[in-house]
């Protein structure tokens, strides 16, 4: 099975490679000849980054000592796509320079500037969607049988736009979006209850970076009320610390960490504006130190220490705004989205059934949304792909936000497909975290979009 990674020179690619190495080692231990992926093709528009990550992977493989996929790299998109069974898309259009602009332009207007949420997420979407759509068209042309796993942010709208291209060409539902935040939340909540995360069922629903865990069922019993009623256990993990036990009890659900930008918007914006550097500025500096400084030898160690620093500083402004606390060491290891991607590939390639929280078309899961609207819910995965499991009824406050943000995503997709400036303005101005149409107009003008 051949896996093509778009954004193959990206910093998180060694996480995917590690998951494939572990899978190959497991296969070897059980007498199978190989893991699910035997060939890894890395594509990037930047040859230097491809070479750098290629060196990290070579060291990572040496250190592992075991079997693993053959790796090759190319800057030619069609060549990378041809013959792929899976296409994993993790690109960053505009690089960290673009991310910094997406943050600064809204922040200068006093509203949240963030990679995927609020005006920043819309700007990032407006820049990324045309590229993602073009990639989907190339996939349809040269790899029509491939499954597409999308990690490119803003993952909800990008998954929806790419999925539409393949559906319109009669290729079925072949684009599945992934994120590590929901699985992280579910696992942390289960562990706080002293429950093995793999033995629980999670009633999670929302859009990407906008979802809630409403029930956590173990052996037929919902254990979430017990957790909500225990402030000490609740505040023992990230989401509890971020939102506070009082608000979580009041809400009656556990929100995705990205809801902090909604529920504590003022505090989050003040914290981001007060910081010396935005996340994008911090990463721009950190990542160029890594890519530019990679010498001969020590590549894997340099990558690992950079990765660790990146994890340790994740959502630093939100943590500062909620009392200032450090992340747990068990949350710094990675093993989030790369494991989701591997499990998904195994399900499709080998028919290993399972349940994963993924971004897929709604079908009938949330009746208030149309069938093609991409939502983030637990899905049954197997050789036929991913099918959303029907969640319990969505509370009005949750549904209201989902509908508002879905309208924003749809306007951004329309702007990308048609080039319409009014659609772009609609996307920005209708976002619940943009508090004035004038602000939206100025953000659009200054973004250069
Ligand atoms: C989480 C989210 C991703 C997002 C990333 C940002 O993993 O689920 O969608 O891209 O955080 O992390 P960063 O280190 O780039 O700020
Ligand atoms: Mn995500």
């Amino acid at each position: 099975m051949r896996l093509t990674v778009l954004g193959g020179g990206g910093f998180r690619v060694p996480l995917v490679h590690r998951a494939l190495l572990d899978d190959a080692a497991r296969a070897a231990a059980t007498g199978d000849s190989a893991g699910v992926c035997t060939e890894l093709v890395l594509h990037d528009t930047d040859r230097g980054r491809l070479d750098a990550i290629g060196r990290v992977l070579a060291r990572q493989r040496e250190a592992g000592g075991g079997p693993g996929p053959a790796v090759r790299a190319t800057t030619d998109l069609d060549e990378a796509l041809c013959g792929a069974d899976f296409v994993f898309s993790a690109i960053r259009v505009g690089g960290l320079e673009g991310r910094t602009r997406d943050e600064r332009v809204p922040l200068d207007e006093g509203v949240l500037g963030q990679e995927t949420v609020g005006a920043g997420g819309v700007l990032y979407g407006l820049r990324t969607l045309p590229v993602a759509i073009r990639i989907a068209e190339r996939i349809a042309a040269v790899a029509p049988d491939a499954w597409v796993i999308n990690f490119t942010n803003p993952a909800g709208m990008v998954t929806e736009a790419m999925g539409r291209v393949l559906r319109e060409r009669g290729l079925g539902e072949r684009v599945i979006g992934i994120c590590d935040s929901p699985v992280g939340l579910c696992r942390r909540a289960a562990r706080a209850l002293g429950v093995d995360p793999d033995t629980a069922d999670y009633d999670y629903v929302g859009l990407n970076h906008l979802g809630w865990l409403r029930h956590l069922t173990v052996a037929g019993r919902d254990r979430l009320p017990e957790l909500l009623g225990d402030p000490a256990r609740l505040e023992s993990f990230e989401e509890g610390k971020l939102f506070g036990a009082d608000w979580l009890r009041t809400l009656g659900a556990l929100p995705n960490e990205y809801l902090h930008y909604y529920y504590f918007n003022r505090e989050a914006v003040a914290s981001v504006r007060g910081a010396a550097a935005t996340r994008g500025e911090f990463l721009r500096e950190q990542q160029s130190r890594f890519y530019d400084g990679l010498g001969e030898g020590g590549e894997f160690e340099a990558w690992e220490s950079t990765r660790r620093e990146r994890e340790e500083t994740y959502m630093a402004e939100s943590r500062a705004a909620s009392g200032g606390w450090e992340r747990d060491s068990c949350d710094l290891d990675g093993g989030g989205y790369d494991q989701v991607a591997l499990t998904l590939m195994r399900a499709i390639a080998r028919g290993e059934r399972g349940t994963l929280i993924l971004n897929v078309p709604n079908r009938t899961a949330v009746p208030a949304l149309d069938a093609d609207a991409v939502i983030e819910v637990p899905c049954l995965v197997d050789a036929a792909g991913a099918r959303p499991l029907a969640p319990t009824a969505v509370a009005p406050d949750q549904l209201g936000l989902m509908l508002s943000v879905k309208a924003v995503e749809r306007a951004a997709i329309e702007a990308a497909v048609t080039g319409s400036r009014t659609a772009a303005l609609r996307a920005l101005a209708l976002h619940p975290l943009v508090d004035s149409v004038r602000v939206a107009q100025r953000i659009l003008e200054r973004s250069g979009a």
Side-chain angles (χ1 to χ4, degrees), residues 115-116 151 153 155 178-182 208-209 256-258 314 337 359 376:
E115 181 192 17
T116 60
F151 188 63
N153 271 326
I178 63 170
C179 180
D180 53 350
S181 291
N208 181 237
H209 292 185
N256 183 295
E257 59 196 352
Y258 281 84
Y314 178 65
Y337 85 96
N359 290 269
E376 192 168 78

Side-chain angles (χ1 to χ4, degrees), residues 362-411:
N362 174 50
R363 299 190 182 190
T364 56
V366 178
L369 284 161
D370 61 78
D372 297 341
V374 165
I375 60 170
E376 192 168 78
V377 275
C379 295
L380 202 62
V381 293
D382 59 21
R387 231 165 334 115
L389 295 165
T392 59
V394 185
D397 58 302
Q398 298 162 358
L399 186 59
L401 272 177
M402 286 172 69
L403 289 169
S404 289
V405 174
K406 183 49 74 181
V408 168
E409 292 183 2
R410 290 263 165 95

Side-chain angles (χ1 to χ4, degrees), residues 200 300 327 344 353 394 408 421:
F300 186 70
R327 298 189 76 195
L344 180 57
R353 280 164 72 93
V394 185
V408 168
R421 203 158 172 84

